[in-house]
Amino acid sequence: MRVKMIAAAVTGLLAVSALSACGGGDDSASGDDGQIVLGFSQVGAESGWRTANTKDIQEQAAAAGIKLQFSDAQGKQENQITAIRSFITQGVDVIAFSPVVTSGWDAVLKEAKDAGIPVILTDRAVDSTDTTLYKTFLGSDFVKEGKEAGDWLVKEEASATGPVNVVELQGTTGSAPAIDRQKGFAEAIAANPNIKIVKSQTGNFTRAEGKTTMEGFLQSVKDIDVLYAHNDDMGLGAIEAIEAAGKKPGTDIKIITVDAVKDGMTALSEGKINYIVECSPLLGTQLMDLVKKVHAGETVETRVLTEETTFTQEQAKEALPNRKY
Ligand code: GZL
């Protein structure tokens, strides 16, 4: 009898270790001695901003003593939904995610709510009308970012007597930053009727697609005066296309971008970009503070904004040496 019991115990142990092995590490949601377990679903690794955002979340989770179960969705909503369902099955304490697009989340967020797991939206928003599906949204005001880009252009072109043709590289179709940065910019440039968006297309927030889409603009649009890119990475890809076409970025075609990651700020300091609106990826500290509060059942602000600014060429030169990302 004793031998049988020992054999059963060994079999059970082997099964658990095999499960955690195929899960690629510790799949258990239980943190060590009361540690909070946070399940985080990230959009992907599409841009310098995203890389900096992921690094900051991982660093700040460690600093806060929070056990992070991290999932990279590679830009696919279905992967985020699968990851959130996995976090629910694991029984994590809190779920946070940056929704790749705004719609299609109600069902899985209701599953998290029914499981009693609080959800924090970070970076990007969802269009769910049921705001009880998440505790708070931590991130930038993308409409304001678009407006600041447009306001700068209105001032820059105040003395223009003829048309100012703008091409726009939009972020991922259906994402909150793409929708709102387009909205804010369009509202701002309405102040100067000379400024017109003559072509708009997604570059999916990546350098590669920013370059190929800009190549298409350069072939199809006769006189391009300005490029408005929803992030630095697409702007940097577009610079490659503009230079390959024998034009000077920042001079022949003025360029406005959003994010202010190091590579973008370097191009700005060199005069290849004319103006950058900052969108901070450093959400980790605020996120971990919110995780602890919602885990403790505390009431939190339903909207937590991030601090950010704007940069001209001179300001970029001054800021570059101390940039964290
Ligand atoms: C904005 C973030 C955007 C960045 C891009 O908060 O969601 O996604 O502007 C990133 O660089 O890909």
Side-chain angles (χ1 to χ4, degrees):
M1 180 57 179
R2 191 169 155 67
V3 171
K4 273 189 181 167
M5 279 171 68
I6 292 169
V10 168
T11 310
L13 276 174
L14 285 173
V16 169
S17 59
L19 262 181
S20 61
C22 24
D26 173 10
D27 277 353
S28 70
S30 56
D32 309 329
D33 51 68
Q35 220 181 356
I36 296 173
V37 182
L38 168 65
F40 189 90
S41 168
Q42 180 61 293
V43 165
E46 74 283 358
S47 63
W49 189 98
R50 189 65 54 197
T51 308
N53 179 246
T54 292
K55 181 169 177 283
D56 189 58
I57 286 167
Q58 291 169 333
E59 287 175 353
Q60 296 310 322
I66 288 172
K67 182 177 178 184
L68 181 65
Q69 308 274 59
F70 184 88
S71 159
D72 174 334
Q74 293 165 344
K76 294 185 173 65
Q77 179 173 31
E78 60 268 27
N79 291 348
Q80 291 198 287
I81 291 171
T82 301
I84 292 170
R85 288 194 167 123
S86 167
F87 295 147
I88 294 168
T89 306
Q90 291 175 51
V92 300
D93 296 305
V94 182
I95 291 170
F97 75 117
S98 173
V100 61
V101 292
T102 54
S103 51
W105 302 100
D106 286 36
V108 72
L109 291 179
K110 187 153 181 341
E111 290 166 33
K113 182 180 176 184
D114 293 347
I117 301 175
V119 172
I120 296 172
L121 301 181
T122 74
D123 170 31
R124 296 185 183 178
V126 298
D127 62 6
S128 304
T129 51
D130 180 357
T131 54
T132 68
L133 293 174
Y134 52 89
K135 292 295 179 189
T136 185
F137 165 38
L138 160 65
S140 305
D141 178 344
F142 302 131
V143 174
K144 180 170 176 275
E145 291 169 348
K147 183 179 179 314
E148 286 182 319
D151 287 347
W152 178 85
L153 187 58
V154 166
K155 283 195 207 86
E156 180 74 8
E157 299 294 348
S159 55
T161 50
V164 177
N165 296 329
V166 181
V167 291
E168 181 184 25
L169 281 171
Q170 295 194 346
T172 302
T173 304
S175 68
I179 293 166
D180 289 352
R181 284 173 185 165
Q182 186 281 331
K183 180 173 183 290
F185 183 81
E187 285 170 356
I189 62 170
N192 181 339
N194 285 326
I195 302 173
K196 287 269 183 285
I197 297 174
V198 294
K199 201 102 172 166
S200 234
Q201 196 174 327
T202 185
N204 213 13
F205 284 132
T206 68
R207 275 195 206 203
E209 290 180 60
K211 181 179 179 185
T212 53
T213 307
M214 189 68 204
E215 284 164 352
F217 289 162
L218 287 161
Q219 279 154 20
S220 60
V221 179
K222 193 169 165 303
D223 296 318
I224 300 174
D225 301 300
V226 180
L227 164 65
Y228 168 47
H230 290 187
N231 80 333
D232 293 349
D233 287 67
M234 293 189 291
L236 292 162
I239 284 170
E240 290 177 44
I242 292 166
E243 288 176 331
K247 294 177 184 285
K248 250 170 97 57
T251 306
D252 298 333
I253 296 178
K254 289 177 185 164
I255 300 179
I256 311 161
T257 66
V258 185
D259 276 354
V261 296
K262 193 159 280 181
D263 289 351
M265 293 285 271
T266 302
L268 175 57
S269 70
E270 292 165 351
K272 292 188 176 182
I273 291 177
N274 301 85
Y275 192 66
I276 297 185
V277 177
E278 185 183 38
C279 174
S280 176
L282 305 181
L283 306 179
T285 305
Q286 287 173 290
L287 174 57
M288 299 312 148
D289 178 52
L290 288 164
V291 166
K292 288 181 174 174
K293 284 178 175 166
V294 298
H295 179 58
E298 291 177 30
T299 306
V300 294
E301 292 292 316
T302 53
R303 179 75 174 90
V304 179
L305 277 170
T306 43
E307 293 300 314
E308 43 217 24
T309 182
T310 56
F311 293 97
T312 60
Q313 182 177 19
E314 284 319 305
Q315 290 164 337
K317 286 177 182 171
E318 280 164 38
L320 257 172
N322 307 314
R323 289 300 279 176
K324 287 189 191 160
Y325 58 91

